[in-house]
């Protein structure tokens, strides 16, 4: 059971990236467009980490990121490691994209609160109010609940939702008749695209305050 924290400690960031960024790791990469949409690339392969130079490379042809803007941040979501960070393009080459090592990452900590887990077959749902990108209107959805504790929860959302919400804003989850404020701590692919549905993503959130009694739907 893990919680997350922010770190700006350079040696700690390097150590974390060295343990998580291995050759062949698959990463989802996106960039925010001016109209609020996302330019999204999935299953991009990590190539090499150059600690001394302060950069790392992704194996991707220049044509794949031709629509990316060099001066805008690049965001990363790891399929096998539950953390998200952003950084900037350093160099774009013929077969590789070189990016700066991030100045801040979210790192795992041992969870101190026991969690209750559900499967999609359990059909446990919770009302969630997200903030739209660029301070857009609120987005109210009924989301499947994956797990919950007094300190946080994990919910499932669609690829469309991932593309339209503000990851940095406070969201609200409705327990019984009251809403609990929370922040997004991590995101990962939950169910890959198949004949019946598009990709689904699991979002881990941390409550502002501990919830004394979890009142599941």
């Amino acid at each position: 059971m893990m919680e997350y924290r922010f770190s700006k400690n350079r040696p700690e960031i390097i150590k974390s990236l060295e343990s998580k960024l291995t050759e062949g790791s698959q990463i989802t990469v996106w960039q925010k467009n001016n109209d609020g949409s996302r330019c999204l690339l999935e299953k991009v392969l990590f190539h090499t980490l150059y600690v001394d130079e302060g950069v790392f490379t992704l194996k991707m042809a220049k044509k794949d990121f031709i629509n990316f803007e060099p001066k805008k941040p690049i965001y990363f979501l790891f399929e096998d490691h539950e953390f998200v960070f952003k950084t900037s393009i350093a160099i774009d080459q013929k077969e590789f994209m070189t990016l700066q090592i991030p100045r801040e990452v979210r790192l795992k900590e041992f969870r101190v609160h026991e969690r209750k887990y559900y499967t999609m077959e359990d059909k446990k749902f919770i009302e969630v109010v997200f903030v739209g990108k660029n301070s857009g209107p609120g987005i109210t959805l009924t989301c499947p609940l994956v797990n919950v504790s007094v300190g946080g929860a994990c919910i499932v959302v669609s690829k469309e939702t991932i593309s339209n919400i503000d990851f940095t804003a406070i969201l609200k989850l409705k327990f019984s008749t009251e809403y609990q404020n929370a922040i997004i701590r991590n995101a990962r692919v939950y169910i890959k695209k198949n004949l019946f549905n598009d990709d689904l993503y699991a979002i881990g959130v941390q409550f502002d305050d501990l919830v004394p009694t979890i009142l599941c739907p």
Side-chain angles (χ1 to χ4, degrees):
M1 310 294 285
M2 307 295 292
E3 289 290 348
Y4 288 77
R5 62 183 172 82
F6 288 99
S7 175
K8 294 183 179 181
N9 183 284
R10 185 72 172 181
E12 191 173 40
I13 290 174
I14 297 299
K15 183 178 179 181
S16 176
L17 293 181
E18 286 177 334
S19 67
K20 294 175 173 62
L21 292 174
T22 58
E23 187 169 359
S25 296
Q26 293 187 342
I27 310 169
T28 295
V29 181
W30 75 87
Q31 192 174 57
K32 296 179 181 180
N33 296 321
N34 293 332
D35 62 1
S37 63
R38 291 186 180 183
C39 183
L40 184 68
L41 295 175
E42 297 183 274
K43 297 180 175 60
V44 177
L45 294 179
F46 171 76
H47 188 256
T48 307
L49 179 66
Y50 299 98
V51 175
D52 293 339
E53 291 81 1
V55 298
F56 64 96
T57 57
L58 302 178
K59 188 174 178 58
M60 52 193 296
K62 189 170 183 178
K63 64 179 179 61
D64 294 330
F65 57 93
I66 193 69
N67 294 322
F68 278 31
E69 296 187 29
K71 295 183 179 180
K72 287 186 176 182
I74 303 290
Y75 294 81
F76 296 81
L77 181 152
F78 285 76
E79 183 174 357
D80 298 321
H81 305 286
E82 299 179 349
F83 77 106
V84 178
F85 68 86
K86 68 178 181 179
T87 187
S88 302
I89 297 176
I91 305 171
D92 55 43
Q93 300 164 291
K94 185 176 181 180
E95 296 182 0
F96 299 95
M97 178 190 285
T98 302
L99 302 112
Q100 297 174 3
I101 291 175
R103 296 180 179 179
E104 181 180 273
V105 297
R106 292 171 179 171
L107 300 175
K108 289 184 177 181
E109 301 247 80
F110 285 105
R111 290 174 180 159
V112 295
H113 307 299
E114 182 178 354
R115 294 204 170 197
K116 186 172 183 180
Y117 289 83
Y118 303 99
T119 65
M120 295 294 280
E121 289 72 27
D122 291 327
K123 297 182 178 179
K124 296 290 185 181
F125 299 92
I126 188 168
E127 182 178 306
V128 184
V129 182
F130 296 98
V131 174
K133 293 174 61 176
N134 300 320
S135 300
I139 302 171
T140 301
L141 300 171
T142 300
C143 300
L145 190 63
V146 176
N147 61 59
V148 65
S149 76
V150 297
C154 182
I155 57 176
V156 175
V157 300
S158 67
K159 183 177 180 179
E160 180 181 5
T161 299
I162 281 281
S163 299
N164 289 291
I165 62 174
D166 184 347
F167 271 79
T168 65
I170 294 174
L171 62 150
K172 297 179 181 291
L173 291 85
K174 188 175 184 180
F175 291 97
S176 186
T177 58
E178 297 184 356
Y179 285 93
Q180 177 68 34
N181 289 342
I183 56 175
I184 295 175
R185 283 302 193 190
N186 57 83
R188 61 182 172 83
V189 175
Y190 185 68
I191 297 178
K192 292 185 178 181
K193 184 176 181 179
N194 54 48
L195 292 176
F196 304 100
N197 57 256
D198 205 342
D199 292 333
L200 296 177
Y201 291 82
I203 293 179
V205 305
Q206 180 180 336
F207 302 141
D208 277 358
D209 299 302
L210 297 183
V211 180
T213 304
I214 299 300
L215 300 174
C216 298

